[in-house]
Amino acid sequence: MTTADGSGALAPPPRLEGKYKALFVCWILGLGSLVAWNTMLTIGDYYYSLFPESYHPSRVLTLVYQPFALGTMGLLAYNESKVDTRKRNIAGYILFTASTLMLLVLDLATSGKGGIGYFLGICAVVAVFGLSDAHVQGGMVGDLSFMCPEFIQSFLAGLAAAGALTSALRLITKAAFEKASDGLRKGVMFFLAIATLVELLCVILYAFVFPKLPIVKYYRAKAASEGSKTVSADLAAAGIQTQQADPKQVERLSNKELFLQNIDYAIDLFLIYVLTLSIFPGFIYENTGEHQLGSWYPLVLIAMYNILDLIARYIPLVKCLKLESRKGLMIAILSRFLLIPAFYFTAKYADQGWMIMLTSFLGLTNGYLTVCVLTVAPKGYRGPEQNALGNLLVVFLLAGIFAGVSLDWLWLIGNGSF
């Protein structure tokens, strides 16, 4: 390994040099990883106005998204040690940019008139979102797993910020365009344009800014010295020459061994997202009934979920509030399943205030527990192993999401929607 100054040894880790810039860039990259998909969720009221209710837009689009995300993520995780992280992440953000722009083009081409052709076109774009998500989310979590935990926390906070930002913008655009001619559609078009620009910004930041930050160069050089092959292109982009490490000195644990040592963390993430996605967003849009807020009701519920999800992802930064016990995490995650009967009876018998509070709690626990698991799990391993473990954990996270959106359809039993 040769560092930027030409010496054979790694310099001491830069304590703050570039750290805060890196945290900000990680936050933006997290924002870009979910802003496209959260845009789809947040403009659900527009799609419910375009297509018959029998299409179940929020449920169908979520179900289309997940198989592509999970399948692609599984393949990438299996071949993680051979995949160039730089090309993977840049490809993911470029796909996000192109597909978000395509949603805008589709709406312009059809003049927002709906129809089965338009709906199938949206489904195709959503499938590309799934491919993009698998490239970016697994790639970024794996990449950041061998850096300081604050980077993962910032990235995960950016993921939640995507939901909070899109919800806030949706409420603003609904209020601004509500009385205008074709106001709902104009708000959605504005929305999609902003999402496209955010995705383009992520391409630029990851390709040209992030790899050149001193603290990022240090951690990637350290991972390369431990045998990681996935960081070579990023180090080359930062102007650092690398030398292949001796495989006998850097023998790493296999994916199977990593999985068996961290099976509880994998199950934790699976269970967190099974529960969350079995309720959000399908139940929120279709099973909460009519209340005083009218058409604003589902938007307020989604906004409260997203805002509390974002706030909760900063709670673990306070060390005394961070849950690190493996047993404690499992108990807390299993306890969340009490939310299923709570949502059922609240939707059936309670008013909108109780539902808003319950949805807020769903977001709070989702964000907090996700950060706790993903910042605790990669400790105690070398760079290549941390990268591999990060990818494995994202596979289980996406598997939980897929199982959750599938189970979400069970809420329709008995209400005449089938």
Side-chain angles (χ1 to χ4, degrees):
M1 170 67 59
T2 305
T3 57
D5 61 4
S7 65
L10 289 171
R15 294 184 181 275
L16 291 176
E17 193 177 356
K19 182 175 181 179
Y20 294 111
K21 288 181 181 178
L23 287 170
F24 176 72
V25 173
C26 287
W27 191 88
I28 296 293
L29 293 173
L31 179 73
S33 298
L34 269 189
V35 72
W37 176 238
N38 273 286
T39 296
M40 290 293 300
L41 296 181
T42 312
I43 62 177
D45 57 333
Y46 176 59
Y47 291 133
Y48 274 94
S49 72
L50 283 184
F51 306 112
E53 190 174 331
S54 59
Y55 280 31
H56 302 293
S58 68
R59 285 186 161 101
V60 170
L61 293 177
T62 307
L63 197 57
V64 168
Y65 179 93
Q66 293 308 326
F68 287 91
L70 179 58
T72 306
M73 186 62 229
L75 288 172
L76 289 170
Y78 182 76
N79 296 289
E80 164 273 329
S81 62
K82 304 173 186 175
V83 177
D84 186 318
T85 301
R86 179 176 175 81
K87 291 179 181 177
R88 172 181 176 174
N89 288 332
I90 291 176
Y93 283 118
I94 289 175
L95 281 173
F96 266 135
T97 305
S99 51
T100 309
L101 180 61
M102 185 54 64
L103 278 180
L104 196 58
V105 172
L106 268 174
D107 196 88
L108 290 170
T110 59
S111 301
K113 293 180 180 178
I116 186 64
Y118 183 17
F119 188 71
L120 291 175
I122 293 173
C123 288
V125 171
V126 166
V128 178
F129 280 171
L131 295 174
S132 309
D133 185 19
H135 278 75
V136 167
Q137 198 165 162
M140 286 301 304
V141 169
D143 201 18
L144 299 177
S145 290
F146 55 75
M147 302 185 194
C148 55
E150 293 94 329
F151 288 3
I152 284 191
Q153 184 278 327
S154 187
F155 178 78
L156 295 175
L159 293 177
L165 176 65
T166 52
S167 291
L169 284 173
R170 187 71 195 95
L171 293 172
I172 292 168
T173 54
K174 183 174 175 62
F177 293 104
E178 191 170 28
K179 296 181 180 180
S181 174
D182 206 12
L184 183 60
R185 181 168 178 251
K186 289 177 180 176
V188 167
M189 301 285 277
F190 176 71
F191 220 79
L192 292 173
I194 290 177
T196 302
L197 291 174
V198 170
E199 298 296 359
L200 182 59
L201 175 62
C202 287
V203 175
I204 295 169
L205 287 176
Y206 187 83
F208 303 109
V209 177
F210 192 62
K212 296 182 180 179
L213 296 174
I215 193 167
V216 174
K217 289 193 286 187
Y218 167 78
Y219 280 115
R220 282 179 169 159
K222 181 174 181 290
S225 72
E226 294 171 341
S228 177
K229 300 177 183 177
T230 63
V231 295
S232 300
D234 281 306
L235 287 172
I240 298 177
Q241 298 293 322
T242 60
Q243 186 176 357
Q244 186 62 48
D246 183 356
K248 294 180 180 179
Q249 297 178 357
V250 293
E251 185 177 351
R252 50 157 280 186
L253 295 174
S254 67
N255 284 354
K256 181 179 179 181
E257 290 171 318
L258 285 170
F259 169 68
L260 291 175
Q261 290 180 14
N262 296 276
I263 189 170
D264 55 327
Y265 290 129
I267 293 172
D268 285 344
L269 287 170
F270 179 83
L271 293 177
I272 289 170
Y273 284 88
V274 162
L275 186 278
T276 298
L277 272 293
S278 67
I279 296 169
F280 182 90
F283 181 90
I284 299 299
Y285 269 111
E286 298 184 11
N287 296 87
T288 50
E290 297 290 334
H291 294 275
Q292 294 174 345
L293 288 171
S295 63
W296 287 82
Y297 186 49
L299 297 182
V300 169
L301 289 177
I302 287 175
M304 291 307 298
Y305 169 89
N306 286 324
I307 290 169
L308 269 295
D309 185 35
L310 173 59
I311 292 171
R313 294 182 187 226
Y314 286 96
I315 294 175
L317 288 177
V318 182
K319 190 165 181 62
C320 64
L321 298 178
K322 184 177 181 180
L323 183 58
E324 297 187 357
S325 164
R326 298 175 86 142
K327 186 181 292 186
L329 283 168
M330 183 62 75
I331 291 171
I333 288 163
L334 289 173
S335 300
R336 287 181 83 230
F337 280 83
L338 293 172
L339 287 171
I340 292 177
F343 269 94
Y344 174 79
F345 288 110
T346 300
K348 198 171 181 68
Y349 301 111
D351 62 21
Q352 61 189 23
W354 286 102
M355 182 60 75
I356 291 171
M357 184 185 73
L358 201 57
T359 305
S360 300
F361 185 73
L362 179 70
L364 183 75
T365 53
N366 184 83
Y368 173 76
L369 292 170
T370 298
V371 171
C372 286
V373 173
L374 284 174
T375 53
V376 170
K379 291 180 179 178
Y381 296 100
R382 290 175 297 184
E385 294 164 339
Q386 290 174 314
N387 194 343
L389 179 57
N391 276 269
L392 284 172
L393 292 177
V394 172
V395 169
F396 278 84
L397 185 154
L398 292 177
I401 293 175
F402 182 47
V405 299
S406 301
L407 292 170
D408 182 44
W409 288 83
L410 296 178
W411 291 107
L412 299 179
I413 295 175
N415 69 357
S417 297
F418 278 125

